[in-house]
Amino acid sequence: CALSVSHALPEHPIALVTGRADVTGGFPVGKVIDRGVGLLKRRGSGDGITIDDVTAGLLDRRFEISARESGFQLVSERETGDAPPTFLGRAQPFVGRERELTRMLVAYEACASEETAQAMLVIGGPGAGKSRLGHELVQSLGARHPTPLTLVGRGSGHLSDLPMGVIASALAQLFGLHEQEGPDVARHRVRARVGRNVPRAERDRIAGFLGQLLGVKFPDDTHPTLAAARLDNVKMGDLIRAAWEELLTAELAAGPVLLMVDDIHLADAASVGLIDSALRVFADAPLFVVGLARREVDSAFPALWSTRSLTRFELNRLSQTAAIQICQHVLGSDVPELELTRLVAQANGNPFYLEELLRTVAEGRGGRIPETLLAMVQARL
């Protein structure tokens, strides 16, 4: 919301804060409002969207954040989800999930070598490290041969009612679409990427319908069926789905495809249905589907992919050894054993909780429970 407001009103100062407030009077009051007002007073020139440390801690790697003397600034939403994870400005070690990553890589190898579609569903609570595991999977497969085409989509609460929203997010990344570029550039990007493996005779038709899904409108004369479909929403939906399957057909003929959906418990039903259909239609093709979800996925989509070739597992708590490794990487090897024990016990095997506790220690605020953790616990309650 703050990014949208900033785009519409670039000259207006904006502060984004997160915290608890008393809303019994109908309007929120309390420290969180005072904090926002204080940020606006302290902001420097050109700061854009100023955010507090709680918000900075809760935003994941999908968002670009910068740090200045006046505080943190929210810069933008990242165009892709493959940004390297960092913590306190340093590369974040990947420990404690090696076994799970190996399990996923073995499943992918079977999918690619035997040309049999496989689905994996990784379950974990908030902050358990699902997204990081997905990032490591993409990085590991990027170094393998044959390298799969990677499609990454995300479920989102504000997009859950948008039909095929997850598929659209994955395709926008594949085509390299950028909001600041004009429609001509967007059309070129869609047509060029679709035409890489799709037969030339079908390129414009498929590009036209996938462009419709992405808000990239092609002229009516692009293909005879495009103009007619714009008069019938049901027909348009059917033709977009057909274009999606034809794109997958062409890409799978060229090599393996990894389709990963983060936060699939927040996905729209149409996208989940399309993925299930793809697992059925391309059962004898190297299609590897990975869903990363919280436990709510069972109520949102009961028996998800249960009739397909599915492997499902849950992320356990980080081991004490892995947690200590993370602590020593961040704080150094001279940390007193008593302090290490306290941090590891308080985090209770949750990577996000551990990071936030380490952040308070690194900032000289050890002993206090970070508000980021309070926000996460409140959300769970």
Side-chain angles (χ1 to χ4, degrees), residues 183-195:
D184 290 339
V185 175
R187 282 191 287 268
H188 171 76
R189 288 187 182 277
V190 174
R191 187 185 290 112
R193 184 58 188 81
V194 167

Side-chain angles (χ1 to χ4, degrees), residues 108-131:
Y108 167 77
E109 291 295 348
C111 168
S113 62
E114 299 171 12
E115 296 197 350
T116 303
Q118 298 280 339
M120 296 199 82
L121 190 58
V122 182
I123 309 293
K130 302 180 296 297
S131 297

Side-chain angles (χ1 to χ4, degrees), residues 330-346:
V330 174
L331 303 177
S333 56
D334 298 330
V335 185
E337 186 175 347
L338 191 63
E339 178 74 350
L340 279 178
T341 303
R342 182 186 68 83
L343 290 168
V344 171
Q346 200 167 3

Side-chain angles (χ1 to χ4, degrees), residues 165-181:
V166 168
I167 300 298
S169 68
L171 289 176
Q173 177 183 320
L174 174 66
F175 298 151
L177 300 183
H178 304 276
E179 284 189 5
Q180 61 268 32
E181 294 177 338

Side-chain angles (χ1 to χ4, degrees), residues 263-336:
D263 289 337
I264 196 170
H265 56 283
L266 295 175
D268 62 284
S271 291
V272 172
L274 275 179
I275 297 171
D276 184 74
S277 175
L279 287 167
R280 174 180 54 81
V281 172
F282 302 108
D284 298 321
L287 173 64
F288 190 52
V289 175
V290 175
L292 308 174
R294 295 184 185 178
R295 297 180 185 91
E296 298 93 283
V297 70
D298 290 326
S299 56
F301 302 105
L304 178 65
W305 304 332
S306 60
T307 59
R308 313 299 171 205
S309 180
L310 172 67
T311 301
R312 170 179 170 142
F313 65 89
E314 190 158 340
L315 289 183
N316 297 319
R317 297 173 181 173
L318 275 182
S319 68
Q320 185 173 4
T321 301
I324 289 175
Q325 280 183 263
I326 294 174
C327 291
Q328 291 177 333
H329 176 84
V330 174
L331 303 177
S333 56
D334 298 330
V335 185

Side-chain angles (χ1 to χ4, degrees), residues 39-277:
L39 284 180
L40 286 176
K41 289 180 179 178
R42 292 195 306 272
R43 69 190 298 275
S45 59
D47 273 357
I49 302 171
T50 305
I51 61 177
D52 63 344
D53 57 346
V54 181
T55 304
L58 289 170
L59 293 179
D60 61 20
R61 58 189 173 85
R62 282 177 280 182
F63 295 90
E64 187 77 41
I65 299 173
S66 67
R68 301 184 184 181
E69 291 185 4
S70 55
F72 294 102
Q73 279 73 47
L74 174 61
V75 179
S76 64
E77 188 170 7
R78 296 185 190 273
E79 295 293 342
T80 61
D82 58 359
T86 59
F87 179 64
L88 296 176
R90 300 167 57 193
Q92 185 180 357
F94 179 69
V95 295
R97 302 292 188 212
E98 295 88 350
R99 183 182 302 174
E100 290 85 351
L101 177 59
T102 299
R103 185 175 184 178
M104 298 175 83
L105 290 172
V106 168
Y108 167 77
E109 291 295 348
C111 168
S113 62
E114 299 171 12
E115 296 197 350
T116 303
Q118 298 280 339
M120 296 199 82
L121 190 58
V122 182
I123 309 293
K130 302 180 296 297
S131 297
R132 178 63 193 273
L133 181 60
H135 170 81
E136 294 299 325
L137 174 66
V138 171
Q139 295 302 303
S140 297
L141 292 181
R144 297 198 171 203
H145 183 79
T147 303
L149 167 71
T150 300
L151 295 166
V152 180
R154 285 190 179 84
S156 175
H158 70 282
L159 295 177
S160 59
D161 292 331
L162 182 66
M164 294 182 272
V166 168
I167 300 298
S169 68
L171 289 176
Q173 177 183 320
L174 174 66
F175 298 151
L177 300 183
H178 304 276
E179 284 189 5
Q180 61 268 32
E181 294 177 338
D184 290 339
V185 175
R187 282 191 287 268
H188 171 76
R189 288 187 182 277
V190 174
R191 187 185 290 112
R193 184 58 188 81
V194 167
R196 183 177 299 182
N197 291 309
V198 167
R200 186 174 183 83
E202 307 299 331
R203 181 194 65 182
D204 287 347
R205 175 179 60 82
I206 293 175
F209 284 109
L210 293 181
Q212 186 76 21
L213 172 63
L214 298 167
V216 179
K217 293 199 173 181
F218 284 77
D220 285 350
D221 58 5
T222 299
H223 194 273
T225 56
L226 188 59
R230 287 197 173 116
L231 302 176
D232 186 338
N233 288 337
V234 175
K235 185 176 182 180
M236 175 62 79
D238 291 341
L239 291 172
I240 288 174
R241 293 181 184 90
W244 155 254
E245 287 196 356
E246 289 179 80
L247 176 68
L248 275 185
T249 299
E251 297 296 341
L252 286 165
V257 173
L258 165 65
L259 173 56
M260 185 166 67
V261 182
D262 201 353
D263 289 337
I264 196 170
H265 56 283
L266 295 175
D268 62 284
S271 291
V272 172
L274 275 179
I275 297 171
D276 184 74
S277 175

